[in-house]
Amino acid sequence: TQLLEQSPQFLSIQEGENLTVYCNSSSVFSSLQWYRQEPGEGPVLLVTVVTGGEVKKLKRLTFQFGDARKDSSLHITAAQPGDTGLYLCAGLIQGAQKLVFGQGTRLTINP
Amino acid sequence: DTGVSQNPRHKITKRGQNVTFRCDPISEHNRLYWYRQTLGQGPEFLTYFQNEAQLEKSRLLSDRFSAERPKGSFSTLEIQRTEQGDSAMYLCASSSPPGRETQYFGPGTRLLVL
C-alpha cells in the first residue's frame, strides 16, 4: 500500500503549457517536501511546506500544502525543456523522522 | 562543497560478496538517514541515526544489512552476502535538529550485483 499517491506518474507536454502534479494521502504530515531528481543523482530539494494551506512560489513553480496537511500540489507555469526530470513529493509523518515518498512524476517537456 | 557526500558513487559486485558504502553528512547535522531507491520508484526508508544512536530500522533492513555511525559524523552501510535483489541506488540524507526537518540528500551510491 502506497502511503503517498503521486499522480500522474508520467507526463509529456509541449513547451509553454501548464501542468499540475498531485500528491495525496490519508495520513497527516508535519511537513512535505518536493524534490527533483536527475538520472543517476540524488534528489535535490525544491521546497518544504509546513503549514496547512501554505503556498510557496519558486519562479514558475507553485507549491501548495493542503489545509489538512494530507495532500500537496506542484504547478508549473509555461513549462520549459529545462523542467524535464523526475519530481518527487515526500512527507514527514507526524511523530516520525522518516520521509515517505511518492512514486514520482517523470516529466518531459518537448520543445 | 558543504553538501552530503557519498562514496563510492558506483559499485559492481558479484553475488555473495560484501560491500560497504560511506556517507558524510552536512557538518553539524546530527541526523543521518539511509534510503534505498529501485528503478522507477521513490526512495524507501532504511534507517536513521541521531548522533551515534541508531533510532529506527525499517523491515527492509534484513540481517544482512548493518549501518553504523560510530562518532556521530560519517556513517557506513554494509551489505553482507549480497543478492541480485540488493541492486539499487542507496541514498544518504542528513538534517539538522528538531524544528528543521528538511532532509538533504547526497548523490547516492548505485549498486549492481551480478
Side-chain angles (χ1 to χ4, degrees), chain B residues 43-87:
Chain B
E44 294 176 292
F45 171 80
L46 292 178
T47 188
Y48 100 93
F49 293 83
Q50 181 159 312
N51 300 313
E52 64 275 7
Q54 188 173 18
L55 297 186
E56 187 174 348
K57 292 168 62 174
S58 162
R59 289 172 296 174
L60 293 174
L61 214 64
S62 75
D63 56 5
R64 296 184 297 105
F65 288 71
S66 62
E68 294 182 344
R69 194 182 183 198
K71 298 181 180 179
S73 56
F74 73 91
S75 175
T76 58
L77 177 67
E78 181 183 17
I79 309 175
Q80 296 182 326
R81 305 181 303 281
T82 52
E83 301 174 355
Q84 288 184 324
D86 297 332
S87 296

Side-chain angles (χ1 to χ4, degrees), chain A residues 71-94:
Chain A
D71 54 84
S72 182
S73 64
L74 158 61
H75 183 78
I76 301 179
T77 303
Q80 299 177 0
D83 295 328
T84 293
L86 178 67
Y87 291 81
L88 294 160
C89 62
L92 194 67
I93 297 175
Q94 282 188 318

Side-chain angles (χ1 to χ4, degrees), chain B residues 31-49:
Chain B
R31 290 182 176 173
L32 186 149
Y33 311 80
W34 286 99
Y35 291 82
R36 181 172 69 186
Q37 185 178 25
T38 53
L39 208 59
Q41 300 295 320
E44 294 176 292
F45 171 80
L46 292 178
T47 188
Y48 100 93
F49 293 83

Side-chain angles (χ1 to χ4, degrees), chain A residues 28-87:
Chain A
V28 176
F29 299 108
S30 56
S31 67
L32 193 138
Q33 290 151 39
W34 285 90
Y35 295 86
R36 177 175 163 174
Q37 187 176 25
E38 301 299 331
E41 299 292 331
V44 174
L45 180 72
L46 295 174
V47 78
T48 299
V49 285
V50 178
T51 307
E54 183 176 4
V55 176
K56 281 192 174 179
K57 292 192 175 184
L58 189 65
K59 296 183 180 177
R60 293 175 294 100
L61 278 59
T62 301
F63 304 86
Q64 186 163 7
F65 202 12
D67 291 341
R69 290 184 290 141
K70 293 182 179 181
D71 54 84
S72 182
S73 64
L74 158 61
H75 183 78
I76 301 179
T77 303
Q80 299 177 0
D83 295 328
T84 293
L86 178 67
Y87 291 81

Side-chain angles (χ1 to χ4, degrees), chain B residues 7-23 34 36 46 61 63-68 75-90 109-114:
Chain B
N7 288 288
R9 293 293 313 276
H10 304 274
K11 179 71 176 178
I12 300 175
T13 191
K14 292 183 179 180
R15 190 175 51 188
Q17 298 295 305
N18 299 343
V19 294
T20 300
F21 309 141
R22 175 175 170 132
C23 171
W34 286 99
R36 181 172 69 186
L46 292 178
L61 214 64
D63 56 5
R64 296 184 297 105
F65 288 71
S66 62
E68 294 182 344
S75 175
T76 58
L77 177 67
E78 181 183 17
I79 309 175
Q80 296 182 326
R81 305 181 303 281
T82 52
E83 301 174 355
Q84 288 184 324
D86 297 332
S87 296
M89 173 78 94
Y90 290 85
T109 295
R110 181 167 292 283
L111 173 67
L112 177 61
V113 182
L114 301 176

